[in-house]
Amino acid sequence: MILALTLCVVLGTMAGALLYGQRQARAKTMAEWAVGGRRFGVLIFWFLNAGEIYTTFAVLGISGFAWAYGAPAYLAFCSVSLSATLGYWLMPRIWEAGRKYDLVTQADFFATHYKATWLGMVVGVSGIAALVVYVQIQIVALSLIVRLTLGPEVSPLIAALIAATVMLAFVYFAGLRSAAFAAGVKDVLMVLIVIGLCATVASKVGAASMLDVYRLAQDTHPGIGQFPGLQPDAGLSSTWLMTSALNVALGNWILPHMFQLCFAAGSKATIRRNAIWQPLYSLSYFFIILLGFGALLAGTQPAGGDTNAVLLQFVADSYPAWAVGLFAGTACLLALVPGSVLLLTAGSIFSRNVVLPLRPAMSERQTLLITRISMVAFAGIAVWLTLGGSKSLVEIGLSAYAAIGMLAPGVFLAFLWPRAHAGGVFAGIVAGYCALLLPQAQALWNQILPQWDHGLIAMAIDAAVAIAVCALWPKTAKATLATA
């Protein structure tokens, strides 16, 4: 029954998404296929943009983080609201630039504003790297669901390959509009399922109510509700929370798929309405963390102590087969929808900003073909990363935010400082990645700024170097985009 219900949810949604996205499947231009023709209204944009909160990172990752660490999972509350606040100012400016200059990708933005195709290529490669890491999150989660439904005898390699294949099939033919339809389905289903699980979790763990679950967790695991949580040696203090939340907020709209999604909106009003209401989604984390605490009280022990599998294991242990099947099917959508958008974005960047500058005579049809082929390669890299690592989904997600954060100063300077130029932005990116990736730099940050998010430190160094170079080395060409 579990497998049957899972397939019904996934295949039914895929069929509806493909039918809804038929127009996109016949699209002849990158703008039509990759940004939905720039016509998304409030509802579709809401499910793709604000609905990005309901991903495997949020539901499986945060619940598992709460099970393992306790209070550090509160990171989710802070980062969503901060991101929406910043997005109210930033997203309309990105949209306006995209509409005015017919931009499709984030790298288009850099190449156009700074009048440097080479910088667009650098940004494109950097963005693809961060996107592949983010795809890894979805492959990890989808692999766990595959093994839950098909049985533990399925090897991690086979599970990851099945996950990647389904994800590619999901987006390959229809484009962004199909993902918009599926995003709406998965959000509605997940809200209903989370409400259902939370309404019954107290009875599963011997608590009198949902709030009593929090009290019982504090009584049986002292310190779970305050920093540094259940594992003080992990360094997840309030300092870590504040710096990590700020880094996520600054980097959220810099993620290439979120940047590209801004181009798909039909108007500024659509974007701002979403930004106003988006913080309401953060309230759902109360229930997701509740389920993590419930799994802890129930004595849930996922295979190998895998924090990513905590909620799946708890549901499988405590609920009937039909409930497990519905949850597994919906959890599949949590991975498929964002994963498909991530792959689509990575493919768009590769074809337009890496290959096209080298082969400018390519037609739109050839560009689309390269986009679709490259998605297979990026999915393969994500599978390889999945097999080679065992981090929690939250840790992988923070790594992606840290990586993409090196592009943030270039975006903000484009709108705030007319003197910024390609050379300075590039110098900042190089300095930022050195500060983020070099072992010597990481050791230094641990010594002088203990418990700070390394991504935020590296972003600050990136911005400082970019500003210094731009101030000392005047630009030779005038920037394209308005700074208003």
Side-chain angles (χ1 to χ4, degrees), residues 41-60:
V42 173
L43 190 61
I44 296 177
F45 192 78
W46 167 266
F47 282 122
L48 268 178
N49 187 7
E52 280 292 302
I53 296 169
Y54 272 137
T55 66
T56 53
F57 172 88
V59 178
L60 301 185

Side-chain angles (χ1 to χ4, degrees), residues 231-325:
Q231 299 186 35
D233 294 339
L236 304 178
S237 64
S238 56
T239 299
W240 168 85
L241 174 79
M242 290 185 287
T243 56
S244 296
L246 186 56
N247 187 58
V248 169
L250 290 171
N252 185 63
W253 307 112
I254 312 302
L255 284 165
H257 68 294
M258 299 301 288
F259 206 98
Q260 189 165 315
L261 184 59
C262 292
F263 297 150
S267 67
K268 286 184 180 180
T270 295
I271 291 176
R272 288 195 168 120
R273 285 172 187 165
N274 275 270
I276 289 170
W277 293 104
Q278 188 177 350
L280 289 177
Y281 255 118
S282 65
L283 298 178
S284 64
Y285 284 113
F286 168 86
F287 302 103
I288 293 169
I289 293 172
L290 171 74
L291 293 175
F293 285 176
L296 184 64
L297 292 172
T300 301
Q301 291 297 328
D306 187 356
T307 60
N308 303 322
V310 166
L311 187 54
L312 289 171
Q313 190 66 55
F314 173 60
V315 173
D317 292 344
S318 306
Y319 290 86
W322 64 266
V324 178

Side-chain angles (χ1 to χ4, degrees), residues 58 78 124 136 165 173 228 231 233 239 256 330 354 430 462:
C78 307
Q136 180 192 356
T165 301
F173 296 103
Q231 299 186 35
D233 294 339
T239 299
T330 306
V354 179
V430 172
D462 179 338

Side-chain angles (χ1 to χ4, degrees), residues 96-443:
E96 187 173 19
R99 179 63 63 96
K100 185 175 182 179
Y101 298 103
D102 198 29
L103 309 179
V104 172
T105 67
Q106 179 191 63
D108 285 349
F109 172 87
F110 277 83
T112 300
H113 175 71
Y114 293 108
K115 293 188 174 181
T117 302
W118 63 267
L119 182 61
M121 294 179 70
V122 170
V123 168
V125 172
S126 300
I128 289 171
L131 287 173
V132 169
V133 173
Y134 219 71
V135 171
Q136 180 192 356
I137 294 176
Q138 317 312 326
I139 298 289
V140 168
L142 202 51
S143 299
L144 292 172
I145 299 165
V146 168
R147 300 190 73 190
L148 172 67
T149 55
L150 298 182
E153 61 273 9
V154 177
S155 69
L157 173 60
I158 297 300
L161 289 174
I162 292 173
T165 301
V166 173
M167 191 176 295
L168 285 167
F170 194 81
V171 72
Y172 193 78
F173 296 103
L176 189 62
R177 194 170 291 272
S178 65
F181 175 89
V185 174
K186 63 100 174 171
D187 275 12
V188 172
L189 284 176
M190 184 48 63
V191 167
L192 294 175
I193 289 174
V194 167
I195 290 174
L197 292 176
C198 289
T200 57
V201 67
S203 63
K204 304 292 182 181
V205 300
S209 65
M210 286 191 290
L211 290 178
D212 196 44
V213 172
Y214 280 93
R215 181 198 61 78
L216 196 58
Q218 179 65 34
D219 290 345
T220 55
H221 300 277
I224 190 174
Q226 61 189 43
F227 291 95
L230 294 176
Q231 299 186 35
D233 294 339
L236 304 178
S237 64
S238 56
T239 299
W240 168 85
L241 174 79
M242 290 185 287
T243 56
S244 296
L246 186 56
N247 187 58
V248 169
L250 290 171
N252 185 63
W253 307 112
I254 312 302
L255 284 165
H257 68 294
M258 299 301 288
F259 206 98
Q260 189 165 315
L261 184 59
C262 292
F263 297 150
S267 67
K268 286 184 180 180
T270 295
I271 291 176
R272 288 195 168 120
R273 285 172 187 165
N274 275 270
I276 289 170
W277 293 104
Q278 188 177 350
L280 289 177
Y281 255 118
S282 65
L283 298 178
S284 64
Y285 284 113
F286 168 86
F287 302 103
I288 293 169
I289 293 172
L290 171 74
L291 293 175
F293 285 176
L296 184 64
L297 292 172
T300 301
Q301 291 297 328
D306 187 356
T307 60
N308 303 322
V310 166
L311 187 54
L312 289 171
Q313 190 66 55
F314 173 60
V315 173
D317 292 344
S318 306
Y319 290 86
W322 64 266
V324 178
L326 287 176
F327 179 73
T330 306
C332 280
L333 297 181
L334 295 181
L336 288 173
V337 175
S340 63
V341 175
L342 292 165
L343 288 174
L344 186 151
T345 305
S348 302
I349 293 172
F350 181 75
S351 63
R352 281 181 64 91
N353 305 111
V354 179
V355 178
L356 188 60
L358 301 176
R359 296 185 58 189
M362 280 199 315
S363 66
E364 284 279 1
R365 184 175 292 275
Q366 290 174 319
T367 303
L368 275 171
L369 179 61
I370 291 174
T371 298
R372 288 166 170 163
I373 293 174
S374 66
M375 290 194 300
V376 178
F378 298 139
I381 296 172
V383 169
W384 176 73
L385 291 173
T386 298
L387 298 176
S390 58
K391 291 182 178 180
S392 75
L393 297 180
V394 174
E395 291 175 305
I396 298 173
L398 290 177
S399 297
Y401 280 109
I404 204 60
M406 300 308 99
L407 305 182
V411 174
F412 289 108
L413 289 174
F415 295 116
L416 294 173
W417 197 33
R419 293 187 61 178
H421 56 72
V425 171
F426 176 71
I429 291 173
V430 172
Y433 277 120
C434 289
L436 179 66
L437 300 177
L438 289 178
Q440 298 88 340
Q442 295 182 37

